[in-house]
Amino acid sequence: MTHNLTRDFVELLLDWPADSAALQVRCKLLLLDGVAVAAAGAAQPGPTILADLARADGAGGAGGPGGPATVIGHGFSAPVSVAARINGMSMHVLDFEPMWNPANHALSPLLPALLALAQQREGCVGGLVGSPGSPAIMQGSAVLRALAKGIEAQGRLRLSSNQFEPAQLTLHPPGVVGPIACALACADLLGLDAQAATMAVGIAASRCGALLANVGSHTKALHCGDAAAHGLEAALLAERGFTANADVLAGPRGWGHAFFGAKFDAKPLLAPLGEGRALVPGPSWKLYPSQFGTHFGITAALDARARLGPVQASDISRIELRTPAMPYIDRPVPGTGLEGKFSWQYTATLALLDGKVEPATFTDERRHAPDVDALLKRFVLIADAGIPGTFDAMHVVITVHLTNGSVVSARCDAPLGSWRQPVGDDLILAKARSLLEAAVGTDRMLATLDAVARPLAAFSIRELLAALS
């Protein structure tokens, strides 16, 4: 038989049971973190504009087509790909969902598509929507298995790129690996055979791409929303017999060579599975809503502030932050609060001034406050080529010079929640509770937590999203 890299990759993941108790618990926690972050992010300008566009096109409006899938935080339902796109953007816009290594946001390009598909198919009697005669799906446990497979697929695709340091990246990873992994996971949820799932991957591969130039704008979060919508659509097209190249990952015109050239390494795609490399040890849980590298600077700045006590801009004559070379987060004067999420300088400055970094840190009002403007002018970034640039090996050092002549330094080798500083599930649950309560109120927060806490046999995606809507 002729070797087919794409088919072998697809079959490996489709055949993986992904049903151990440890994986199911991990995936439930990821799901809760994802929907909580999406509920909190839904009111941001980018997702709101996208939701308004969907309404203008008739989704969920009077006389419009509506649809089976909940658009979180916007009070209407929509066709599955529309809901996946908006919810994917909401799940990423705060930059608050987990981080993987090599760098990737694996949740927002994937989970919104699975939630939308599960809502469409859950509890259908007499066959799947649009697929007469097929057996009905849908238990929440099937979504968790598909989620595990999609996360694992993204981890393998990222490893195959041979681009491990963020400074090496020219494309935003979720937009490059997300559509393929989402298509595979949706194919798994739909019960497609290997041939159809391979077609889904082939369709999705032509819908990959996301420019890092758009970091700091609304479009960055749209990368994740588009990945979720494109992957879901690819699986639905393949279910109906739509075709694509049968080995789209390989060859001189395939995905690997097109995006990564001679660096592409197919071996990680077919490595033995075990419990899944991307889920064990798994993600770094984000405790601050900003680009993950900035968490090192935030942690060091909070440590320095703990030694200094409360400070004002007038107390500080100079801040020095020594970091790895990561040019795309070297933003001395971010123009907006959103852009501040991708600035070493802004995030460390706010940690020093406010003693915390939270969603309100990134409003335009806080960004342009006089104390922030004053302190950013006294900030010196030192990009040290001798510091490794991967998230599992890097460190930063902050030195704060006070006007009274005192100097305080602090170093961060790993922020809380990362692989070298793991946190318990209780802290992630507390994060979800806080985000949900602020976004949807106490009653719906409790209903959402109750829906997620149900035993696997009674875990319903429809019930979960009803609690949020």
Side-chain angles (χ1 to χ4, degrees):
M1 181 181 293
T2 303
H3 175 67
N4 183 317
L5 173 64
T6 309
R7 178 69 173 257
D8 291 346
F9 172 63
V10 167
E11 287 184 341
L12 178 72
L13 289 166
L14 289 184
D15 291 344
W16 179 35
D19 59 358
S20 74
L23 283 180
Q24 296 271 300
V25 168
R26 176 60 58 90
C27 286
K28 257 198 177 186
L29 193 62
L30 284 165
L31 183 147
L32 175 61
D33 189 78
V35 297
V37 170
Q44 291 292 305
T48 298
I49 292 169
L50 195 60
D52 288 345
L53 178 62
R55 283 195 188 93
D57 283 345
T70 299
V71 178
I72 295 171
H74 291 283
F76 69 97
S77 61
V80 289
S81 61
V82 173
R85 180 174 282 109
I86 300 169
N87 292 339
M89 192 173 184
S90 295
M91 201 173 289
H92 186 59
V93 68
L94 294 178
D95 231 85
F96 211 0
E97 86 273 37
M99 170 58 62
W100 269 262
N101 190 51
N104 186 44
H105 298 281
L107 206 55
S108 51
L110 172 64
L111 178 58
L114 295 175
L115 296 177
L117 184 57
Q119 274 197 293
Q120 183 195 66
R121 305 295 173 101
E122 186 178 63
C124 295
V125 178
L128 304 180
V129 173
S131 199
S134 300
I137 316 177
M138 244 351 112
Q139 282 187 319
S141 57
V143 173
L144 298 179
R145 286 193 297 271
L147 181 64
K149 294 182 183 189
I151 290 171
E152 180 65 19
Q154 289 181 77
R156 288 165 178 260
L157 290 163
R158 281 292 290 117
L159 285 169
S160 77
S161 74
N162 262 322
Q163 291 186 342
F164 302 144
E165 296 199 9
Q168 296 175 315
L169 300 174
T170 56
L171 294 167
H172 190 206
V176 180
V177 303
I180 292 174
C182 181
L184 192 154
C186 289
D188 182 82
L189 192 57
L190 289 167
L192 301 189
D193 63 21
Q195 174 65 19
T198 301
M199 291 299 103
V201 165
I203 298 163
S206 274
R207 308 184 81 176
C208 292
L211 297 176
L212 276 175
N214 274 315
V215 168
S217 73
H218 294 158
T219 301
K220 177 177 185 281
L222 185 60
H223 297 164
C224 297
D226 278 345
H230 289 159
L232 173 54
E233 289 172 350
L236 292 173
L237 287 168
E239 183 186 31
R240 288 156 174 77
F242 208 88
T243 65
N245 185 286
D247 195 4
V248 78
L249 299 180
R253 296 178 179 83
W255 177 89
H257 188 269
F259 284 105
F260 308 113
K263 289 186 175 181
F264 177 63
D265 178 9
K267 291 190 293 294
L269 299 179
L270 304 180
L273 266 164
E275 279 281 60
R277 181 196 179 281
L279 282 152
V280 179
S284 176
W285 299 96
K286 278 192 168 187
L287 302 181
Y288 308 110
S290 61
Q291 190 272 351
F292 187 65
T294 69
H295 291 208
F296 289 75
I298 291 167
T299 302
L302 291 174
D303 188 11
R305 179 186 163 97
R307 301 180 201 177
L308 290 168
V311 291
Q312 298 178 349
S314 58
D315 298 323
I316 299 173
S317 60
R318 178 181 173 92
I319 305 168
E320 296 171 2
L321 184 66
R322 185 175 294 272
T323 72
M326 292 183 178
Y328 72 103
I329 53 172
D330 179 3
R331 298 172 186 251
V333 189
T336 64
L338 176 60
E339 192 179 349
K341 290 177 178 286
F342 311 97
S343 167
W344 286 118
Q345 295 90 335
Y346 182 78
T347 49
T349 293
L350 270 290
L352 280 170
L353 285 174
D354 296 349
K356 59 186 177 180
V357 173
E358 58 188 9
T361 299
F362 300 101
T363 62
D364 288 346
E365 291 78 11
R366 188 67 188 109
R367 158 59 194 95
H368 293 292
D371 59 340
V372 176
D373 282 331
L375 205 48
L376 285 174
K377 293 174 183 176
R378 302 172 203 157
F379 200 112
V380 177
L381 186 77
I382 305 166
D384 187 339
I387 300 176
T390 56
F391 290 145
D392 60 344
M394 62 181 275
H395 71 270
V396 305
V397 177
I398 195 168
T399 304
V400 183
H401 299 260
L402 301 182
T403 53
N404 66 9
S406 301
V407 178
V408 172
S409 292
R411 170 171 168 149
C412 176
D413 291 279
L416 196 62
S418 65
W419 305 278
R420 290 183 286 170
Q421 281 269 66
V423 294
D425 293 358
D426 57 333
L427 193 56
I428 308 308
L429 180 60
K431 171 190 169 184
R433 290 178 66 96
S434 175
L435 290 174
L436 287 167
E437 187 160 26
V440 301
T442 301
D443 290 345
R444 285 197 284 162
M445 175 270 288
L446 292 172
T448 302
L449 295 178
D450 180 66
V452 174
R454 289 184 179 275
L456 286 177
F459 177 42
S460 163
I461 298 301
R462 188 174 295 278
E463 180 182 323
L464 166 66
L465 289 170
L468 282 171
S469 63

